Amino acid sequence: MYKVVSFLIIFFCGVTHVSSQEPVEYVNPFIGTSNFGATNPGAIAPRGMVSVSPFNVAGKQNVLEKDSRWLSNPYVNENTFLTGFSHVNLSGVGCPDLGVILLMPTTGAIETNHLKYGSAYSNEKAKPGYYSTFLTKYDVQVETTATTRTGVSRYSFPKGASNILLNLGLGLTNEAGASIKIVSPTEIEGMRTVGSFCYYKPEEAYPVYFVAKFSKPADAYGVWKKPAKYNGEEAQWMPYNGKARLMEGYRKEVIGDSIGSYFTYNFDKPTQIEVKVGVSYVSIENARENLEKETQNASFDDIFSKTASSWNENLSKIKVEGGSNDDKTIFYTALYHTLIHPNILNDYNGEYPKMATRETLKTAGTRFTVFSFWDTYRNLHALMSLVYPKQQSDMVKSMLDIYDESGWLPKWELNATETTTMVGDPAGIILTDTYLKGIQDFDVEKAYQAMAKSADALENNPLRPGIKNYIEKGYLTTEQEGSVSTTQEYNATDFSIALLAKALNKKEDYKRFSKRSISYRALFDKNLKLLRPRNEDGTFYEPFNPLAGANFEKNIGFIEGNAWQYAFMVSHDIKGLMKLMGGSKAFSNQLQKVFDANQFDMANEPDIAYPYLFNYVKGEEWRTQKLVAELVKQYFQNKPAGLPGNDDTGTMSAWLIYSMMGIYPISPGEPVYTITTPVFDKVTIALDPNYYKGKELIIEKTGAKDGVIKDVYLGDALHKSYFIQHSDLVKGSTLKINLN
Amino acid sequence: MYKVVSFLIIFFCGVTHVSSQEPVEYVNPFIGTSNFGATNPGAIAPRGMVSVSPFNVAGKQNVLEKDSRWLSNPYVNENTFLTGFSHVNLSGVGCPDLGVILLMPTTGAIETNHLKYGSAYSNEKAKPGYYSTFLTKYDVQVETTATTRTGVSRYSFPKGASNILLNLGLGLTNEAGASIKIVSPTEIEGMRTVGSFCYYKPEEAYPVYFVAKFSKPADAYGVWKKPAKYNGEEAQWMPYNGKARLMEGYRKEVIGDSIGSYFTYNFDKPTQIEVKVGVSYVSIENARENLEKETQNASFDDIFSKTASSWNENLSKIKVEGGSNDDKTIFYTALYHTLIHPNILNDYNGEYPKMATRETLKTAGTRFTVFSFWDTYRNLHALMSLVYPKQQSDMVKSMLDIYDESGWLPKWELNATETTTMVGDPAGIILTDTYLKGIQDFDVEKAYQAMAKSADALENNPLRPGIKNYIEKGYLTTEQEGSVSTTQEYNATDFSIALLAKALNKKEDYKRFSKRSISYRALFDKNLKLLRPRNEDGTFYEPFNPLAGANFEKNIGFIEGNAWQYAFMVSHDIKGLMKLMGGSKAFSNQLQKVFDANQFDMANEPDIAYPYLFNYVKGEEWRTQKLVAELVKQYFQNKPAGLPGNDDTGTMSAWLIYSMMGIYPISPGEPVYTITTPVFDKVTIALDPNYYKGKELIIEKTGAKDGVIKDVYLGDALHKSYFIQHSDLVKGSTLKINLN
């Protein structure tokens, strides 16, 4: 408690020094807001359901315009035309969705067309739980903060006629349909339809509900609606056809694709207005309760103070020493990004919508959402298990809830819809990884049953398309999209099932899934030393260009990548792959080629572990150390374009965090890390006493400043491997990495 | 009580005789469903908020199709393609609105496009509170009934797969936007946007809420949505773009212009399902309460029985003897039609929406709606005052509520929106007429204030456009639409204000408004002996064709009529008009010309009193008797095309009722009737003891069967006039009309 209080004093009294101490102060939320990082600088609480992000992707003035391309973020740093502040947003995803419930302060006469009321802006500031900017067109200062389920805005208006617009037509999502009702001159309620993430599953589009409360009653208010244009014979009698209408003082629901409300004020002096927007995926009543319970009439400053302190508490689980300010900034910003998704879905009262059908369910714990498992199974959940095991446990429980609700584990779950985005069946890897890391306070038998179900169901299996070929032939064929990639993904999951089967003493399954986990080998082309798609008749696909498919081009056999970017994505069977390639030397030569030929893609997941694979070859570990250090420097920087690409709900950030700490979870599912040179001199991870015996894990870098690793000690004992067991790390040991 | 019970025994035991006794059994709800009568045969309770009408105006198969023309009714008798049963409907209006919340039973696979699921139908039956038909495509018998605020349907399904669709996309209104949510396998809730009546006031479009309860849980259910087509760059990634989606088992709100729900059943034998749809203009909660309080788990048969008995009780206020079965049928059907609108707007708990802004208000009495005053001020409210004075008193109170809420009396009020349809400022006439007939249990000073306000307000006066010219010049000029008609309407209202001023002892106002009430005289063209528009400079409008403007053609100076059809529409100043025309002989010659030249329009209001005007000319009264009898015969018949045209919310029906009873309220505002030959031998009106001293008013026809009136007796006293005071009639007298 003392710590938080003293932190707050430092934080709010503006007496921060150059050598500021608190992790929260290093975070730069603008990192990832350019170069398609897809993060946003909006105010958000840790794992918050709500964020209040500037929305600047509408209007042709902008460099990247949401309707003229595939764009998955509400904010782009280089854009200049701001049309509001959206209250539910995704961070670091690859498809447009959410980005709705937009508030916008304006002055003068009411204008409801965002292309007309949009404004330039300047002087942006962002820190965890806070964003502010100045709207130059209106002379209005905007500040935003948030609790878990409530967005809070403070507008500093000049004297005169001012307005607060709530636009439910505009949004990043391509879904439409909203309802709005002015409850009183200080309150608005409504809902907005969102969904069809990645242009899939429109039949699961769903509502997000809100209640907005204003600190001062509006002097006048109303609703607008721009209806669809009527095309019948009667259009001749409808002079209003398709035109926006203002409904002054109107107090019932208005429904439509393009609707909004306005509150207007006549200020006789410069005045601040605070707006709180509570959100729920269950009901308007819950949105109101979320707002009331979480904000309790607290002021903007009080709310920000509480949220900032919550951020600091989370970020402080890892303490880093040494390294530059920029190093600390990219590190803590990455950690900040891993604490955004998965986020909380349930309301304050525990209610949340059931998968797909959206009946109201209730949890006593936390129902998490935004499970982008194709990305996050590779490292993010391993990081959660290490640093935030309670959160990871709750995420696993949410996965099992989803299994109970829908009959299947999640794959890319978003707000209680299974978007079925990307390939593979990665949930089992996360379950195994979590369990084997010692987080076992969940129903592991159910987890195993769920994993085995998607691994074995031959009919109507939403998680494993192509499973018949996979089981019969060992691989998917060119009849199926991304046949090689998908085979590799299924192999990785089957390996995890085998691991868990072993732990649960299911010997037959252990054998069966172990065998299945290496079936990718049948796709190995000895001549190319790469994996290659096979046709239905078993022959290799011709003509075959191993370079095709980079930069998200469509490609036979591979999803979001080419043969080089997938060839080594068998982290559970690197020794088997070495054998196929002709031994460890041939393996490391081939691996080095990926980098030499510029085929390594830092911005996408399939090859994300490649730099660490040299650790499997004795004597080549220096390559890992060199590559990782170079990649960190090249791709991760303290600037808006400071991520290599899409953050993928924190996966890129998790890669950076591990890489800067000097360990990496090289084979998801296996509780093992591989070792590289840390960026920091000392990293201290506070271990959760409910899960780990050790109080903290310390990683220390000693010896020469820019050398290669000479030896590694675990405590006082020399550690003769570049791999280390999770169980060894969480005993409270110190891992000393000694350079020369 | 005894009477009602015995009626029900007769009614339901099927032992009705040829000479059936009860008024309710004479009603033929198909009258007015052709020839643009705009009534519908749907089941409705007296003054019900809800009716359940067959909806057969969508689809090109139909003779009159709603989207290919101006069509203001949900049902047209000659149409053949039925696409559902709508739950809120207007009867006898001139503009399309409502006709929404459509239920449709189907069988087989789910089809959500009404153009595909629509059906032919046969064997229609309708009586007050009941409608049934057989859907030939599906082999489904449909029956509907209703309470005041709840529509009830009973579907007799064959064995097999069956569905009940609730379509919120389809509707007669041109407004769009709806919300639907499946609450449980037996309940659905939602809302539909309606409004823009007569293509006016889109900014006051408003929601109607509903809750639907099903007697058996659905075996499966879902919602559909057909979204608007997305036109951006991203459309290429949306294979579902603009296509209808089925959302099976979905349990949250779905919003859109084209949405609906389906309940499906698998019957192992023929099965009946009952669906109750409660409606409210305030909220879903109120719709649910309306349903629960009004139906109390009662069966279809119980509900129909209660509604039929309520109809019979209302219709029995007038008892007719003599006349043919057809005479009784057209008479009681007309009375039935006058008991549909105005209808009840408030919910069971008294709540109703405030005018325009729709805040929730509450009444301890009844808030009536659908005030089509340009039509109904001429006779319908006079009929209400005579036969249903409590209802008329409540209507007046609703008018004053509207004044309180909006600052103005209603003109064409519909569900708490002022549609501002048609011309004139007729509310004051109704208020005066009601008060002077002895119904005085309302705040007459407020009423007077309200009437005077619109009569005098020179600025921002929504009720009297052109008022400056009217007051300065005595007439509107060709600058204003319908300048002659509107001048006449304002004169008529000013006459009523003068009458009320006199009654309230406001002498100055009496003089002032009396003077204003005859200003139309300045528009009299001595050469034509007609009223004629004047230009802004005072000259008559040229070129002037007195015949132009019939059949709803647009016409300078006149609204929905020509100079002949308006010339005599000064019923408060017939003596003045006579003088202008050169005496009573010239007057009756000119009046006869209207009929001889075929310029009389039975189907519209301006000349509706013409046939009675011969009573003002001594010796010419036989013309009234002859004309009225002929018009009744020619235009009012027991068949779908049995109304002269649009029923105008009961105005045509009220004309018929009065004409068949032998009296007519010739000068609205003045408590006076003029006399003609009744159709019936005896008419007995039960007088309300709370308002009238007499127990009943009896009108008896005696003497020769088809003669002209020889003399008239009031009680035992010879009545030497063809005019009679209301106060004389309601003392409990018998009016004997003796023919020779």
Side-chain angles (χ1 to χ4, degrees):
Chain A
M1 197 60 212
Y2 169 77
K3 194 179 175 188
V4 171
V5 171
S6 67
F7 150 69
L8 289 174
I9 291 166
I10 294 168
F11 201 75
F12 290 110
C13 298
V15 290
T16 28
H17 300 285
V18 177
S19 61
S20 56
Q21 303 296 315
E22 294 297 335
V24 75
E25 293 175 74
Y26 286 109
V27 176
N28 175 8
F30 290 105
I31 293 177
T33 62
S34 183
N35 191 36
F36 298 97
T39 65
N40 68 68
I44 188 169
R47 307 215 177 282
M49 176 191 285
V50 164
S51 60
V52 193
S53 173
F55 188 93
N56 69 357
V57 293
K60 289 182 182 165
Q61 297 92 330
N62 287 315
V63 181
L64 299 179
E65 207 280 334
K66 72 184 179 70
D67 292 329
S68 61
R69 55 172 298 131
W70 186 308
L71 185 71
S72 54
N73 30 315
Y75 174 90
V76 171
N77 193 260
E78 49 270 48
N79 283 353
T80 56
F81 185 72
L82 186 147
T83 51
F85 298 85
S86 48
H87 281 72
V88 284
N89 302 286
L90 294 169
S91 174
V93 298
C95 298
D97 204 357
L98 306 191
V100 293
I101 314 175
L102 282 131
L103 280 178
M104 178 75 177
T106 69
T107 60
I110 296 285
E111 169 59 60
T112 64
N113 180 345
H114 64 275
L115 298 177
K116 292 184 182 165
Y117 70 61
S119 172
Y121 57 99
S122 64
N123 201 22
E124 287 183 285
K125 283 180 193 144
K127 46 193 171 184
Y130 181 88
Y131 171 86
S132 78
T133 192
F134 182 76
L135 302 183
T136 53
K137 181 173 179 178
Y138 298 116
D139 197 20
V140 172
Q141 181 74 25
V142 175
E143 297 166 281
T144 75
T145 186
T147 67
T148 301
R149 302 170 182 89
T150 305
V152 184
S153 298
R154 178 163 63 188
Y155 304 129
S156 301
F157 285 106
K159 182 182 162 180
S162 292
N163 318 294
I164 300 173
L165 310 176
L166 203 170
N167 190 334
L168 297 180
L170 184 60
L172 185 60
T173 182
N174 291 297
E175 283 298 305
S179 164
I180 195 165
K181 179 176 157 186
I182 294 174
V183 178
S184 76
T186 59
E187 188 173 330
I188 302 170
E189 63 178 35
M191 71 84 113
R192 175 57 150 89
T193 308
V194 293
S196 306
F197 184 72
C198 289
Y199 310 101
Y200 286 162
K201 294 262 193 99
E203 69 281 4
E204 289 187 12
Y206 56 95
V208 49
Y209 303 92
F210 70 89
V211 167
K213 292 203 180 191
F214 295 70
S215 60
K216 283 196 171 64
D219 294 323
Y221 56 81
V223 176
W224 78 81
K225 173 173 183 169
K226 189 166 184 246
K229 206 160 180 177
Y230 183 88
N231 289 316
E233 178 70 14
E234 294 154 290
Q236 63 186 296
W237 303 302
M238 296 162 73
Y240 53 85
N241 194 12
K243 289 181 193 162
R245 358 172 138 153
L246 286 192
M247 305 167 81
E248 178 91 19
Y250 192 85
R251 288 285 282 274
K252 279 276 175 289
E253 276 89 347
V254 170
I255 275 186
D257 285 351
S258 183
I259 63 172
S261 68
Y262 57 90
F263 270 31
T264 69
Y265 296 89
N266 287 300
F267 297 127
D268 52 12
K269 60 179 184 203
T271 306
Q272 283 190 337
I273 300 280
E274 291 183 13
V275 190
K276 295 171 182 167
V277 180
V279 159
S280 163
Y281 288 92
V282 171
S283 67
I284 285 171
E285 295 67 38
N286 281 8
R288 185 175 286 110
E289 188 186 3
N290 289 343
L291 186 156
E292 284 168 358
K293 289 280 167 64
E294 289 186 349
T295 69
Q296 301 276 14
N297 299 320
S299 71
F300 181 96
D301 291 335
D302 291 342
I303 290 164
F304 167 51
S305 149
K306 209 169 158 189
T307 298
S309 122
S310 168
W311 271 116
N312 200 53
E313 198 183 322
N314 273 276
L315 298 169
S316 298
K317 296 292 176 202
I318 309 183
K319 205 173 148 189
V320 294
E321 293 166 66
S324 66
N325 266 350
D326 274 357
D327 289 338
K328 287 177 181 163
T329 297
I330 63 171
F331 181 84
Y332 281 115
T333 303
L335 193 56
Y336 167 82
H337 282 144
T338 67
L339 290 161
I340 289 176
H341 297 307
N343 61 266
I344 292 166
L345 174 64
N346 61 287
D347 289 320
Y348 189 89
N349 63 14
E351 290 183 348
Y352 67 96
K354 183 179 170 181
M355 288 294 290
T357 62
R358 309 196 84 76
E359 286 154 278
T360 299
L361 301 177
K362 195 161 185 164
T363 178
T366 301
R367 166 64 158 88
F368 279 108
T369 186
V370 186
F371 289 133
S372 178
F373 285 160
W374 183 84
D375 300 306
T376 58
Y377 87 80
R378 299 168 204 266
N379 56 29
L380 185 129
H381 290 284
L383 183 69
M384 296 304 111
S385 290
L386 179 60
V387 189
Y388 310 100
K390 173 69 167 73
Q391 293 186 22
Q392 177 60 19
S393 168
D394 285 343
M395 288 174 198
V396 163
K397 285 168 191 152
S398 295
M399 292 167 71
L400 299 183
D401 285 344
I402 291 169
Y403 172 68
D404 284 341
E405 294 166 26
S406 69
W408 301 94
L409 286 166
K411 175 174 169 181
W412 210 130
E413 186 272 353
L414 170 55
N415 291 334
T417 69
E418 176 47 64
T419 70
T420 64
T421 306
M422 297 307 293
V423 297
D425 176 20
I429 305 176
I430 295 163
L431 295 172
T432 297
D433 194 86
T434 306
Y435 187 80
L436 295 184
K437 280 180 173 149
I439 300 160
Q440 302 184 344
D441 54 349
F442 62 90
D443 184 346
V444 71
E445 281 298 335
K446 180 188 284 181
Y448 186 81
Q449 180 195 63
M451 292 152 69
K453 180 179 175 188
S454 60
D456 284 335
L458 296 182
E459 301 294 339
N460 302 317
N461 186 333
L463 294 176
R464 293 212 189 186
I467 189 170
K468 279 186 190 166
N469 266 344
Y470 175 68
I471 286 178
E472 281 169 24
K473 298 180 162 66
Y475 52 82
L476 282 71
T477 72
T478 48
E479 304 276 295
Q480 285 103 26
E481 217 189 329
S483 55
V484 179
S485 308
T486 307
T487 301
Q488 293 176 268
E489 295 288 354
Y490 293 169
N491 271 195
T493 303
D494 288 347
F495 175 73
S496 274
I497 299 176
L499 286 180
L500 191 58
K502 192 177 175 192
L504 300 177
N505 208 23
K506 298 174 194 288
K507 289 176 186 166
E508 274 310 305
D509 271 10
Y510 169 62
K511 277 188 215 161
R512 188 161 70 87
F513 284 106
S514 291
K515 194 178 161 201
R516 271 168 59 164
S517 75
I518 52 172
S519 68
Y520 80 92
R521 293 179 185 174
L523 296 173
F524 189 76
D525 180 330
K526 273 187 279 187
N527 300 321
L528 294 169
K529 290 185 183 163
L530 294 171
L531 301 178
R532 181 171 172 181
R534 284 195 189 269
N535 298 312
E536 196 67 17
D537 65 5
T539 58
F540 276 128
Y541 176 75
E542 294 278 4
F544 182 63
N545 173 10
L547 295 178
N551 301 317
F552 295 88
E553 285 159 24
K554 199 130 187 173
N555 186 18
I556 292 288
F558 301 92
I559 294 284
E560 290 191 1
N562 65 18
W564 287 97
Q565 289 156 1
Y566 270 95
F568 298 86
M569 197 194 80
V570 287
S571 49
H572 63 290
D573 187 43
I574 293 300
K575 288 192 178 147
L577 181 66
M578 275 183 191
K579 218 180 234 172
L580 290 173
M581 286 189 171
S584 63
K585 186 69 192 162
F587 169 87
S588 69
N589 282 348
Q590 185 78 336
L591 183 58
Q592 186 59 45
K593 269 191 207 162
V594 178
F595 295 94
D596 294 345
N598 211 18
Q599 288 303 305
F600 176 72
D601 183 0
M602 185 70 249
N604 211 9
E605 278 66 16
D607 58 7
I608 199 172
Y610 280 23
Y612 287 99
L613 296 181
F614 291 105
N615 277 356
Y616 284 98
V617 184
K618 200 168 168 63
E620 301 293 330
E621 299 91 349
W622 64 272
R623 292 187 196 267
T624 288
Q625 296 157 37
K626 180 169 176 279
L627 273 169
V628 169
E630 282 171 3
L631 291 168
V632 166
K633 271 225 172 95
Q634 183 182 349
Y635 288 107
F636 297 88
Q637 295 169 18
N638 181 14
K639 62 180 186 187
L643 285 181
N646 199 310
D647 194 30
D648 290 329
T649 68
T651 304
M652 290 298 148
S653 289
W655 187 94
L656 179 69
I657 291 161
Y658 270 126
S659 297
M660 292 182 88
M661 296 198 300
I663 58 174
Y664 193 81
I666 184 66
S667 177
E670 286 187 280
V672 67
Y673 303 91
T674 192
I675 295 168
T676 189
T677 317
V679 168
F680 300 106
D681 297 339
K682 187 177 175 187
V683 176
T684 306
I685 300 175
L687 297 174
D688 185 335
N690 292 315
Y691 291 90
Y692 298 125
K693 282 185 191 153
K695 199 178 154 240
E696 47 188 32
L697 161 61
I698 296 170
I699 302 169
E700 270 185 9
K701 182 171 71 172
T702 56
K705 197 169 168 275
D706 290 315
V708 291
I709 296 175
K710 180 181 153 203
D711 49 36
V712 172
Y713 279 80
L714 185 63
D716 295 331
L718 181 65
H719 185 78
K720 291 184 177 168
S721 167
Y722 279 85
F723 297 88
I724 188 161
Q725 292 298 312
H726 176 79
S727 56
D728 287 335
L729 280 184
V730 296
K731 282 175 187 161
S733 323
T734 297
L735 184 72
K736 283 187 199 146
I737 298 168
N738 193 22
L739 312 189
N740 69 2
Chain B
M1 196 60 211
Y2 168 76
K3 194 179 175 186
V4 171
V5 171
S6 68
F7 149 69
L8 289 175
I9 291 167
I10 294 169
F11 202 74
F12 290 109
C13 297
V15 292
T16 29
H17 302 284
V18 177
S19 61
S20 56
Q21 304 295 315
E22 294 297 334
V24 75
E25 294 175 72
Y26 287 109
V27 176
N28 174 8
F30 290 105
I31 293 177
T33 61
S34 182
N35 189 37
F36 299 96
T39 65
N40 68 70
I44 188 169
R47 307 214 179 282
M49 176 192 285
V50 164
S51 59
V52 194
S53 173
F55 187 93
N56 70 356
V57 292
K60 288 182 182 163
Q61 298 91 330
N62 287 316
V63 181
L64 298 180
E65 207 281 333
K66 72 182 179 73
D67 292 330
S68 61
R69 54 173 297 131
W70 186 309
L71 184 70
S72 54
N73 29 317
Y75 174 90
V76 171
N77 193 259
E78 50 270 49
N79 282 353
T80 57
F81 185 73
L82 187 146
T83 52
F85 297 85
S86 48
H87 281 72
V88 283
N89 302 286
L90 293 169
S91 174
V93 299
C95 299
D97 204 358
L98 306 191
V100 293
I101 314 175
L102 282 131
L103 280 177
M104 177 74 177
T106 68
T107 59
I110 296 285
E111 169 59 60
T112 63
N113 181 344
H114 64 275
L115 298 177
K116 293 184 181 164
Y117 70 61
S119 172
Y121 57 99
S122 65
N123 201 21
E124 287 183 284
K125 283 178 194 145
K127 46 193 172 184
Y130 182 88
Y131 170 87
S132 79
T133 191
F134 182 74
L135 302 183
T136 54
K137 181 173 180 178
Y138 299 116
D139 197 19
V140 172
Q141 180 74 24
V142 175
E143 298 166 281
T144 75
T145 185
T147 67
T148 300
R149 302 171 183 89
T150 305
V152 184
S153 298
R154 178 162 64 188
Y155 304 128
S156 300
F157 286 107
K159 182 182 161 178
S162 292
N163 318 293
I164 301 173
L165 310 176
L166 204 171
N167 190 335
L168 297 180
L170 184 60
L172 185 60
T173 182
N174 291 298
E175 282 299 304
S179 163
I180 196 165
K181 180 177 157 186
I182 294 174
V183 179
S184 76
T186 57
E187 187 172 330
I188 302 169
E189 64 179 34
M191 72 82 113
R192 174 59 148 88
T193 308
V194 293
S196 306
F197 184 73
C198 290
Y199 311 100
Y200 286 164
K201 293 261 192 100
E203 69 282 5
E204 289 187 12
Y206 56 95
V208 49
Y209 303 92
F210 70 89
V211 167
K213 293 203 179 192
F214 295 69
S215 60
K216 283 195 172 62
D219 294 323
Y221 55 80
V223 177
W224 78 80
K225 173 172 182 168
K226 189 166 183 245
K229 206 161 180 176
Y230 184 88
N231 290 316
E233 178 70 15
E234 294 154 290
Q236 62 185 298
W237 304 301
M238 296 162 74
Y240 53 85
N241 194 11
K243 291 180 192 161
R245 359 173 138 153
L246 286 192
M247 305 166 81
E248 178 92 19
Y250 192 85
R251 289 285 283 273
K252 279 275 173 293
E253 275 90 347
V254 171
I255 275 187
D257 285 351
S258 183
I259 64 173
S261 67
Y262 57 91
F263 270 30
T264 70
Y265 296 90
N266 287 299
F267 297 127
D268 53 11
K269 60 180 184 204
T271 306
Q272 283 190 339
I273 300 281
E274 291 182 14
V275 190
K276 295 171 181 166
V277 180
V279 160
S280 163
Y281 289 92
V282 172
S283 67
I284 285 171
E285 293 68 38
N286 281 8
R288 185 174 286 112
E289 188 186 3
N290 289 343
L291 187 157
E292 285 168 358
K293 289 280 167 62
E294 289 187 347
T295 70
Q296 301 276 15
N297 299 320
S299 71
F300 182 96
D301 291 335
D302 292 342
I303 290 164
F304 167 50
S305 150
K306 210 170 156 189
T307 297
S309 121
S310 168
W311 271 116
N312 201 52
E313 199 184 321
N314 272 276
L315 297 169
S316 299
K317 297 292 176 203
I318 309 183
K319 204 173 148 190
V320 293
E321 294 166 65
S324 67
N325 266 350
D326 274 356
D327 288 337
K328 286 176 182 164
T329 297
I330 62 172
F331 181 84
Y332 281 115
T333 303
L335 193 56
Y336 167 82
H337 282 145
T338 66
L339 290 161
I340 289 177
H341 297 306
N343 61 268
I344 292 166
L345 174 64
N346 61 287
D347 290 321
Y348 189 89
N349 63 15
E351 290 183 349
Y352 67 96
K354 183 178 169 181
M355 288 294 289
T357 63
R358 307 195 84 76
E359 286 154 278
T360 300
L361 301 177
K362 195 160 185 165
T363 177
T366 302
R367 167 62 159 88
F368 280 107
T369 187
V370 187
F371 289 133
S372 178
F373 285 160
W374 184 84
D375 301 306
T376 58
Y377 87 81
R378 298 167 206 267
N379 56 28
L380 185 128
H381 290 283
L383 183 69
M384 297 303 111
S385 290
L386 179 60
V387 189
Y388 310 100
K390 172 69 168 71
Q391 293 185 23
Q392 176 60 20
S393 168
D394 285 343
M395 288 174 199
V396 163
K397 285 169 192 153
S398 295
M399 292 168 70
L400 298 183
D401 284 345
I402 290 168
Y403 171 69
D404 284 341
E405 294 165 26
S406 69
W408 301 94
L409 287 166
K411 175 174 169 181
W412 210 131
E413 185 272 354
L414 169 56
N415 291 333
T417 68
E418 175 48 64
T419 71
T420 63
T421 307
M422 297 306 294
V423 298
D425 176 19
I429 306 175
I430 295 163
L431 294 172
T432 297
D433 194 86
T434 306
Y435 187 79
L436 296 184
K437 279 180 174 148
I439 300 161
Q440 301 184 345
D441 54 350
F442 62 90
D443 184 345
V444 71
E445 281 297 336
K446 181 187 282 180
Y448 186 82
Q449 179 195 64
M451 292 153 70
K453 181 180 175 188
S454 59
D456 284 335
L458 296 182
E459 302 294 340
N460 302 316
N461 186 334
L463 294 176
R464 293 210 188 187
I467 190 170
K468 279 187 189 166
N469 265 345
Y470 175 70
I471 287 178
E472 281 170 23
K473 299 181 162 62
Y475 52 83
L476 282 70
T477 72
T478 48
E479 303 277 297
Q480 286 102 25
E481 217 188 329
S483 55
V484 179
S485 307
T486 308
T487 301
Q488 293 175 268
E489 296 288 355
Y490 293 169
N491 270 195
T493 303
D494 288 348
F495 175 72
S496 274
I497 299 175
L499 287 181
L500 191 59
K502 192 178 175 192
L504 299 177
N505 208 23
K506 297 175 193 289
K507 291 176 186 167
E508 274 310 306
D509 272 9
Y510 168 63
K511 278 188 212 161
R512 188 161 70 88
F513 285 105
S514 292
K515 194 177 162 203
R516 271 168 59 164
S517 74
I518 52 170
S519 67
Y520 80 94
R521 294 179 185 175
L523 296 172
F524 190 77
D525 179 331
K526 274 186 278 187
N527 299 322
L528 295 169
K529 290 186 183 162
L530 293 171
L531 301 178
R532 180 171 172 180
R534 284 195 189 272
N535 298 313
E536 195 67 18
D537 65 4
T539 57
F540 276 128
Y541 176 74
E542 293 279 4
F544 181 63
N545 174 9
L547 295 178
N551 301 316
F552 295 88
E553 287 160 22
K554 200 129 188 172
N555 185 18
I556 292 287
F558 301 91
I559 293 286
E560 291 192 1
N562 64 20
W564 286 99
Q565 289 156 1
Y566 269 96
F568 299 86
M569 198 193 81
V570 288
S571 49
H572 63 290
D573 187 44
I574 293 299
K575 290 194 175 146
L577 182 64
M578 276 183 191
K579 219 179 234 173
L580 291 173
M581 286 189 171
S584 62
K585 187 70 193 158
F587 168 87
S588 68
N589 284 346
Q590 185 78 337
L591 183 58
Q592 187 60 44
K593 270 191 207 161
V594 177
F595 295 93
D596 294 345
N598 210 20
Q599 288 303 305
F600 177 70
D601 183 0
M602 184 70 249
N604 211 9
E605 278 65 17
D607 58 6
I608 199 172
Y610 280 25
Y612 287 99
L613 296 181
F614 290 106
N615 277 357
Y616 285 97
V617 183
K618 200 168 169 60
E620 301 292 331
E621 299 90 347
W622 64 273
R623 293 187 194 266
T624 287
Q625 296 158 38
K626 181 169 173 283
L627 272 169
V628 170
E630 283 170 3
L631 291 167
V632 166
K633 269 223 174 95
Q634 182 181 350
Y635 288 107
F636 298 89
Q637 295 170 17
N638 181 13
K639 62 180 187 187
L643 284 182
N646 199 310
D647 194 30
D648 291 329
T649 69
T651 304
M652 290 298 149
S653 289
W655 187 93
L656 179 68
I657 291 160
Y658 271 126
S659 298
M660 292 182 88
M661 295 198 299
I663 57 173
Y664 193 81
I666 183 65
S667 177
E670 285 187 279
V672 68
Y673 304 90
T674 192
I675 296 168
T676 190
T677 319
V679 169
F680 300 106
D681 298 339
K682 187 176 176 187
V683 175
T684 307
I685 301 174
L687 297 174
D688 185 335
N690 293 316
Y691 292 90
Y692 298 125
K693 281 185 191 153
K695 197 176 156 243
E696 47 189 33
L697 161 61
I698 296 171
I699 302 170
E700 270 185 9
K701 183 170 71 172
T702 57
K705 196 170 168 275
D706 291 314
V708 292
I709 296 174
K710 181 181 152 203
D711 49 34
V712 172
Y713 280 80
L714 186 63
D716 295 330
L718 180 65
H719 186 77
K720 293 184 178 166
S721 166
Y722 280 84
F723 298 88
I724 189 161
Q725 293 297 312
H726 175 80
S727 56
D728 287 335
L729 281 183
V730 296
K731 281 174 185 159
S733 323
T734 297
L735 184 72
K736 284 186 198 146
I737 299 169
N738 193 24
L739 313 188
N740 67 3

